[in-house]
Amino acid sequence: MSTPVLRPLVLALSLSIAGAQAWAQPPAQPASAAAEASSSLAYQQPSAAMRAVLDAKALPQTQLSPDQRTLATLELRRYRSVAELARPVLKLGGLRFDPATDSPQLTAQIDSLTLKNLADGSERRVELPAGGAFHQLRFSPDGQRFLLNRRTDQAVELWVGDVGTGQLRPIPKLRLHTMLDAHVVWLNAHELVTLAVPARRGPAPSFAAPSGPAVQESMGKVSPEYTLQDLLSNPQDEAVFAHHAQSQMVRVDLARGGVREIGEPGLYAEISAVGTGQVLLVERLLQPFSYRVRWNDFAREVELRDASGKLIKSLGRIKLKEGVPVEGVITGPRQFWASPAADGAVYWVEALDGGDLRNKVSHRDRLMRLDAPYQGEPREVHRTAQRLTGFAMLEGGRQALVTDFDRGRLWITQDLLSLGGEAAPRRLAERSMRDRYRDPGMPLTRMQPNGRVAVRVDGGSIWLVGAGASAEGEKPFLDRLNLADAKTTRVFQSGRDGDKTWFERPLAVLDAQGSRILTQRESFTEPANVMLRSGAALGEMKALTAVKDPTPQLRNIRRELVRFKRQDGVELSFWLYLPPDYKAGERRPAFVWAYPLEYTDAATASQVSGAANRFNTFGGSSPLMLLLDGYVVLMDATMPVVGDPKTVNDSFIAQITANAQAIIDKADELGVADRHRMVVGGHSYGAFMTANLLAHTDLFKAGIARSGAYNRTLTPFGFQSERRTYWEAQDVYLRLSPFNYADKLKEPLLLIHGDSDNNPGTFPLQSQRLYQALAGTGGNVRYVSLPFESHGYSARESIGHTLWEMSEWMKRQVGAP
């Protein structure tokens, strides 16, 4: 049977705009505002300049081995094909998976892998045999071996490589099961536990016809669930999901290549090792399944088992997450952690407020601990005033970093906790979630010899790596935080070197003193390379990689951070990009790309993100591609919405209007843009913003909205930061729905949406219905539906076509530059 030709579905109303240019392909429709076109085009290609950047080689990625002696360089496949997306896939339980391999639908394929010995500088290229897609590089705890998965049409295989030689071989008679949990659990440097497809599992159940109707019932129980895609809907779905979700724990000896089953097959959702690896923490899904939530919110049984799979103790159940208040959590244990230390302790968190933020209590969560040999009663070790959202244990297992989040204030606090109760918790940091300038950074972790990952501790200190956001842009840093007094010492920060300012991000600390570190260093014109820094003040440098510029044609693009204020004094900014052929004094058509964010105060909203000295590269469906057509692009224009988190959306329209007016005024003041030929665009919530700006203002000539939501009555239990339900804030939901103003939205709008979008709230129906509303009320709209694409677009054909649509839309609405 021949393969069907796949095309994007395009629905369009011809635009009655004087001087509008005709589409290059297909031939223009008759110039009548009532004439409606519905067609399925072949995939189109953008300009040659765009194609050259689109198909340029991707920048490589790097990964350091746990012993810090080997640096792996990976080149990943940049795009998939639509044919890959069109492979048979099951959409069940909120998952999309390949039924032939019991693995996620998509993987990041490795095209090449090189291993560099940091001691002598020698490199080994790993030969990747044809016949499948290699992905997911992992090193053994001692750094002597590495693992790769390879997906074929029939299975996901496990391959093991020798770091010293680069030789790679498969583990025979092992079909990995990566549908729910793709991790491996190290028992030691050469043995691991992972999940496999059960050897004796029969064929998947099949059903010629439904056995009856699908029935759901809710009698007086409040259960405000978010709008989700791909849920189970009937007993047949349950049976098929249960079949494919079933897996078998296996113990793999990498040295001998042996595989043996441990325990019985089950619906294993997650496995991890406790302490030295003689005990496994196992979570299994429980039936019956829900038709209202995704698989990761199904009920679970949590167990401790020995390394042979024998049950030691059941720790109880994690409840099904149904009937939970908006922004609430389940009662009882909801998340478990295994100690990385030899003490073998197990921790979990449970709510003290009934899981409901509306309840006024002194503490919302508590942290519980059960010690080996797990025969005693668990004990409480800590309480948090707000919701516990992070728990990271330090090496040694005696301390942990505990993070809690106050949803009402968007406030984050982090404490250093003594797990044995030897000292009172010490506050390390607290700030607004949106406050970039006070972000203390993320702690460095490392894999220990037992295979467990923990926060790295050297000489009583931990290491923090941060973005270093400031009014002058981001300047990444490395700090050393003393656990005894919580004081930090700046070890390194990106900055000027000679006549150039670099963007340099710390990657790893190679010794306990911090006298040798790895960084990734780039500038506006030079791609990122890994550097070894050492010597006095880390001033000596040695390049470990030599990445070449894949797109030298972009070097003539100019970029500048522009700061200004909106009418009420809130500071705004955008990154001004000028095309390669731009000449001073020209006013060109401009494209504004933005995404709204909520803030509790104007000072935080005014903060700057990004850095002028980042390497200028882009690809995919980036709006920066329009530079190659000669348009001015105002990228990442800040679009703050400031106010009380509970009611901030009451002024959403007024604030995004004020932001847009200020952006246009500033671009006009700079003399680079024609204020009468400006187009606004965004993706997801940015698309929602775009449609609202066109519906409520006349500021922009046209808009481009990708993968958005336009009718908030279809997301009745909250969206983005909105915590009120539709019935609590009906006027806000209605006012913020561009669908309700379709008869007033007359500026031309290009809608693009993946026809398989499974992002909560942005179902393809959102774009379909807005198109129908605009078409039915005489609007000017074009709707492009991309086959098999989800919320973001991944196929080369889809991305190329998206760029073509955007480029042609700009030419049609504001003319050529």
Side-chain angles (χ1 to χ4, degrees), residues 86-107:
R87 278 175 55 97
V89 63
L90 290 179
K91 302 176 181 180
L92 298 170
L95 272 178
R96 293 181 177 179
F97 60 93
D98 184 340
T101 60
D102 294 321
S103 66
Q105 178 187 13
L106 304 175
T107 57

Side-chain angles (χ1 to χ4, degrees), residues 30-269:
S32 166
E36 184 174 341
S38 178
S39 61
S40 183
L41 298 177
Y43 285 105
Q44 301 297 303
Q45 290 291 326
S47 65
M50 283 191 186
R51 290 200 305 273
V53 174
L54 186 62
D55 294 326
K57 196 173 184 180
L59 293 173
Q61 298 183 8
T62 57
Q63 187 173 329
L64 187 65
S65 63
D67 63 355
Q68 299 187 325
R69 297 177 180 177
T70 303
L71 183 69
T73 299
L74 304 88
E75 293 183 359
L76 302 181
R77 186 176 179 185
R78 195 164 193 182
Y79 309 111
R80 303 175 177 90
S81 68
V82 168
E84 289 179 74
L85 299 185
R87 278 175 55 97
V89 63
L90 290 179
K91 302 176 181 180
L92 298 170
L95 272 178
R96 293 181 177 179
F97 60 93
D98 184 340
T101 60
D102 294 321
S103 66
Q105 178 187 13
L106 304 175
T107 57
Q109 181 175 335
I110 299 171
D111 282 342
S112 73
L113 172 61
T114 303
L115 304 176
K116 185 183 186 74
N117 186 307
L118 296 185
D120 61 18
S122 61
E123 291 188 349
R124 294 166 297 285
R125 186 179 180 87
V126 178
E127 295 299 325
L128 302 176
F134 283 94
H135 58 282
Q136 201 171 354
L137 172 67
R138 292 144 296 179
F139 284 97
S140 61
D142 63 359
Q144 300 304 301
R145 296 181 175 87
F146 63 94
L147 303 178
L148 289 171
N149 291 358
R150 185 176 82 160
R151 187 166 80 176
T152 68
D153 289 341
Q154 297 81 31
V156 176
E157 307 162 342
L158 181 64
W159 290 60
V160 58
D162 182 274
V163 169
T165 65
Q167 295 299 308
L168 192 62
R169 59 181 172 82
I171 300 295
K173 300 179 181 179
L174 175 60
R175 293 179 61 202
L176 293 178
H177 187 284
T178 59
M179 175 178 154
L180 302 183
D181 188 359
H183 296 94
V184 300
V185 176
W186 293 99
L187 302 180
N188 50 57
H190 64 89
E191 283 188 294
L192 59 86
V193 172
T194 190
L195 296 177
V197 176
R200 294 172 293 280
R201 189 181 69 176
S206 60
F207 304 92
S211 58
V215 177
Q216 299 186 62
E217 182 176 283
S218 181
M219 304 297 288
K221 181 181 179 181
V222 178
S223 190
E225 317 301 349
Y226 288 117
T227 51
L228 301 169
Q229 289 265 49
D230 305 336
L231 301 180
L232 303 178
S233 60
N234 54 50
Q236 288 83 2
D237 283 354
E238 287 192 71
V240 174
F241 178 84
H243 170 86
H244 286 284
Q246 187 181 68
S247 61
Q248 171 70 57
M249 289 193 295
V250 294
R251 185 165 177 165
V252 182
D253 186 326
L254 299 176
R256 297 181 176 86
V259 179
R260 63 185 176 91
E261 297 179 353
I262 60 175
E264 298 297 322
L267 299 171
Y268 297 111

Side-chain angles (χ1 to χ4, degrees), residues 99 137 251 298 425 645 683 720:
L137 172 67
R251 185 165 177 165
F298 291 172
H683 190 97
Q720 207 73 4

Side-chain angles (χ1 to χ4, degrees), residues 332-404:
R334 69 173 185 268
Q335 188 173 356
F336 285 77
W337 296 274
S339 171
D343 61 16
V346 177
Y347 298 86
W348 64 88
V349 62
E350 52 189 48
L352 294 170
D353 61 356
D356 192 341
L357 291 177
R358 294 171 297 184
N359 294 330
K360 305 300 181 183
V361 294
S362 59
H363 294 86
R364 296 207 174 274
D365 281 340
R366 67 175 179 174
L367 184 68
M368 304 296 292
R369 170 175 175 159
L370 180 64
D371 291 305
Y374 318 114
Q375 300 305 311
E377 292 297 317
R379 58 189 174 91
E380 180 181 307
V381 295
H382 184 58
R383 291 190 173 199
T384 57
Q386 302 299 328
R387 194 67 74 211
L388 190 151
T389 56
F391 180 68
M393 279 173 277
L394 277 57
E395 291 178 335
R398 299 179 62 86
Q399 294 174 299
L401 301 177
V402 177
T403 304
D404 68 342

